Amino acid sequence: MDTLIIEKIQKEIEKFEPTTDLEKVGRVVRVGDGVAEIEGLENAVMSEMVLFDDSGDKSLEEAMSSKEALYGLVLNLEEDAVKAVVLGDVERVQEGMLVKSTGRVLSIPVGESLLGRVVNTLAEPLDGKGPIESDSYAPIERDAYGVIDRKSVDTPIHTGIKAIDAMVPIGRGQRELIIGDRFTGKTTVAIDAILNQKNEPEDTRPICIYVAVGQKESKTARIVAQLEEAGAMDYTVVVSASAAAPAALQFLAPFSGATIGEYFMDRGRDALVIYDDLSKQAVAYRQLSLLLRRPPGREAYPGDIFYLHSRLLERAAKLSDEKGGGSLTALPIIETQEGDVSSYIPTNVISITDGQIFLDAGLFNKGTRPAIDVGNSVSRVGSSAQTKAMKAVGGSIRIELAQFRELEAFMQFAQDLDEATKKRIDSGRRMAELLKQRNGEPLPFEKQVVSIYAGINGLFAGIKVEDVTTAEGKWLEYIDGQHSDVLKEIHSTGKLEDATTEKIDSAMEDFKKTHTDLFSTDEE
């Protein structure tokens, strides 16, 4: 009987005590270096958005809808307090300020309205083109699709760079790492891949998302200007968390990029996201982790740094037909020090991705653009993601170039070389020259096929090595003007049929006759 009376009294008390509301409001007890310690949020959950309330007596909904709303992200759940990173102007957060629980994880607006825009980590506009109107919101962190929901990568995403499309093919849904020292052209490769999507049919053209993490704002502005000039911003979103942005926004920016890409993938479309770069994201996360008093591990990075990158990159996928068949392709960028790929962050990301494009500072300094090291670059998807035409012409290039690089090193010490070795070195030099490409000038894949086919079938054998690039330009001009049907055929079928190769062989003979000035008399 006593127990029943106690329960009734307890229920009556609960009517007058709004405990649930009290549990949703906390107070800042300490703030510094972008981290606020909050007491009172007993029901807070990890990655929850909290609202720093400096707006007076407004309701939660009114405060959240305000343009001046300042949010935090809960990252530490401790015994008597929670720690949240401030997503914005830290100076607005003061000790004693009220903090309200929003009850939802960090979400950003997504949708078509983001195309052509430059936004920050929270998808707020940075380009002065007005607010972004979107009814769709998506959490920036979510579980990656499982094995059953995926299918194997089988469709290429052409970068427009001969050396990559021929030797290190990238498929839709793949994760291909771009790695190399500072100033070796990593960003250039990624931007060329965005520019080249202009050459793809509009119905299959991937939506491109470029995420700039810790980059100088001047560099990002230059990239946006380049994309606008080429008309590529129509299908591109730029997410910028500059070097001046708080560490929290730099660490979250790649997740925002993945979320924007997933919106299109979930609707059966293709998306390409570039993370430039994950080294700086790792540094921002290390900074936050040390401020949150998490124990440091190797090189002072926290123990879950591998999980940070794996849960980001696992979101790239090629979905099964039942799920709509969309894809999200990831091109993460990692910066190395003196070519050291064995340090902590590079080895982590190499083990997560499906291959890497290694850019070598030595080749770059010799004038090879792009400076791709064939021996260290690999695509684990391989020729599954190549068109049959590219597979037919690109198969032998990789071995030939790798052999040439070895012989080139050996040649420095050798006095006499036999004729076969001389011939191989000469052929390798011309092939290396043929694969050079100017920045911002990606080639449609059908032109790449015709160019490489001519190279491996001896069209440039009688030309001086330094004239190969000029001769290639004239050859492509000639075939575009005189034999455009060949290019259309390769583009539409993706194959190199016998009839097509006969046409190209015939065109090569005609080209030699009409461009005698290019071919030297000392033909080898």
Side-chain angles (χ1 to χ4, degrees), residues 4 28 59 64 85 104 156 158 166 231 244 259-260 263-266 285 300 305 349 361 377 385 411 457 464 484 520:
L4 287 171
V28 176
S59 68
M64 285 176 68
V85 292
R104 60 187 177 96
H158 294 118
T259 299
I260 294 166
Y263 170 85
F264 297 100
M265 175 176 72
D266 290 341
Y285 188 63
I305 193 82
V349 183
S377 299
M411 195 174 62
N457 285 285
K464 291 177 183 174
S484 58
S520 57

Side-chain angles (χ1 to χ4, degrees), residues 83-395:
K83 282 182 182 168
V85 292
V86 183
L87 303 174
D89 184 6
V90 184
E91 291 181 6
R92 283 175 56 190
V93 180
Q94 305 293 330
E95 285 184 24
M97 180 185 280
L98 284 180
V99 185
K100 293 178 179 175
S101 173
T102 65
R104 60 187 177 96
V105 294
L106 183 59
S107 302
I108 59 166
V110 291
E112 303 283 342
S113 56
L114 286 169
L115 294 178
R117 302 300 300 269
V118 182
V119 298
N120 66 9
T121 303
L122 303 176
E124 298 165 341
L126 297 174
D127 51 13
K129 294 180 182 176
I132 290 166
E133 305 294 338
S134 177
D135 297 328
S136 300
Y137 279 76
I140 68 166
E141 292 246 32
R142 79 172 205 193
D143 287 347
Y145 280 99
V147 177
I148 304 301
D149 296 327
R150 301 176 184 235
K151 71 174 183 182
S152 59
V153 174
D154 57 5
T155 312
I157 190 157
H158 294 118
T159 63
I161 299 168
K162 289 171 284 186
I164 293 176
D165 291 344
M167 297 186 292
V168 199
I170 300 170
R172 299 190 182 205
Q174 190 175 343
R175 302 155 301 178
E176 183 78 9
L177 172 64
I178 301 170
I179 186 168
D181 284 3
R182 200 171 177 212
F183 298 128
T184 50
K186 301 185 296 298
T187 302
T188 303
V189 167
I191 296 304
D192 279 358
I194 294 177
L195 294 174
N196 188 59
Q197 303 319 309
K198 191 96 178 157
N199 297 321
E200 295 293 311
E202 202 168 327
D203 56 331
T204 59
R205 182 184 296 158
I207 299 299
C208 301
I209 301 107
Y210 174 73
V211 184
V213 183
Q215 306 294 328
K216 287 187 288 189
E217 288 183 358
S218 58
K219 177 186 173 182
T220 308
R222 193 172 66 248
I223 288 168
V224 171
Q226 185 185 358
L227 293 172
E228 280 178 343
E229 190 182 337
M233 277 303 283
D234 296 342
Y235 54 85
T236 304
V237 184
V238 176
V239 180
S240 174
S242 71
L249 295 181
Q250 291 185 44
F251 133 66
L252 291 168
F255 292 98
S256 295
T259 299
I260 294 166
E262 280 175 337
Y263 170 85
F264 297 100
M265 175 176 72
D266 290 341
R267 281 152 185 77
R269 295 167 69 182
D270 296 313
L272 167 68
V273 61
I274 291 150
Y275 306 116
D276 188 9
D277 67 51
L278 293 189
S279 306
K280 291 186 175 69
Q281 187 208 15
V283 168
Y285 188 63
R286 171 171 65 183
Q287 181 183 328
L288 278 179
S289 298
L290 293 173
L291 290 169
L292 291 165
R293 308 260 180 215
R294 293 180 180 177
R298 181 173 161 188
E299 294 175 35
Y301 288 106
D304 64 341
I305 193 82
F306 181 89
Y307 177 56
L308 173 79
H309 287 149
S310 62
R311 74 178 191 263
L312 170 69
L313 293 170
E314 274 298 316
R315 288 164 73 172
K318 170 76 171 168
L319 295 185
S320 63
D321 295 335
E322 291 77 17
K323 286 285 179 182
S327 72
L328 179 64
T329 310
L331 295 182
I333 293 174
I334 287 286
E335 187 179 293
T336 54
Q337 308 289 330
E338 296 293 325
D340 180 17
V341 293
S342 63
S343 58
Y344 190 33
I345 300 301
T347 49
N348 275 356
V349 183
I350 285 170
S351 66
I352 297 163
T353 49
D354 307 310
Q356 67 274 350
I357 296 164
F358 185 79
L359 300 175
D360 182 61
L363 288 173
F364 186 87
N365 294 333
K366 283 181 190 173
T368 303
R369 306 281 194 283
I372 294 172
D373 182 334
V374 186
N376 284 325
S377 299
V378 64
S379 170
R380 296 192 189 113
V381 171
S383 57
S384 305
Q386 272 181 314
T387 56
K388 289 184 178 176
M390 187 60 84
K391 199 186 296 187
V393 297

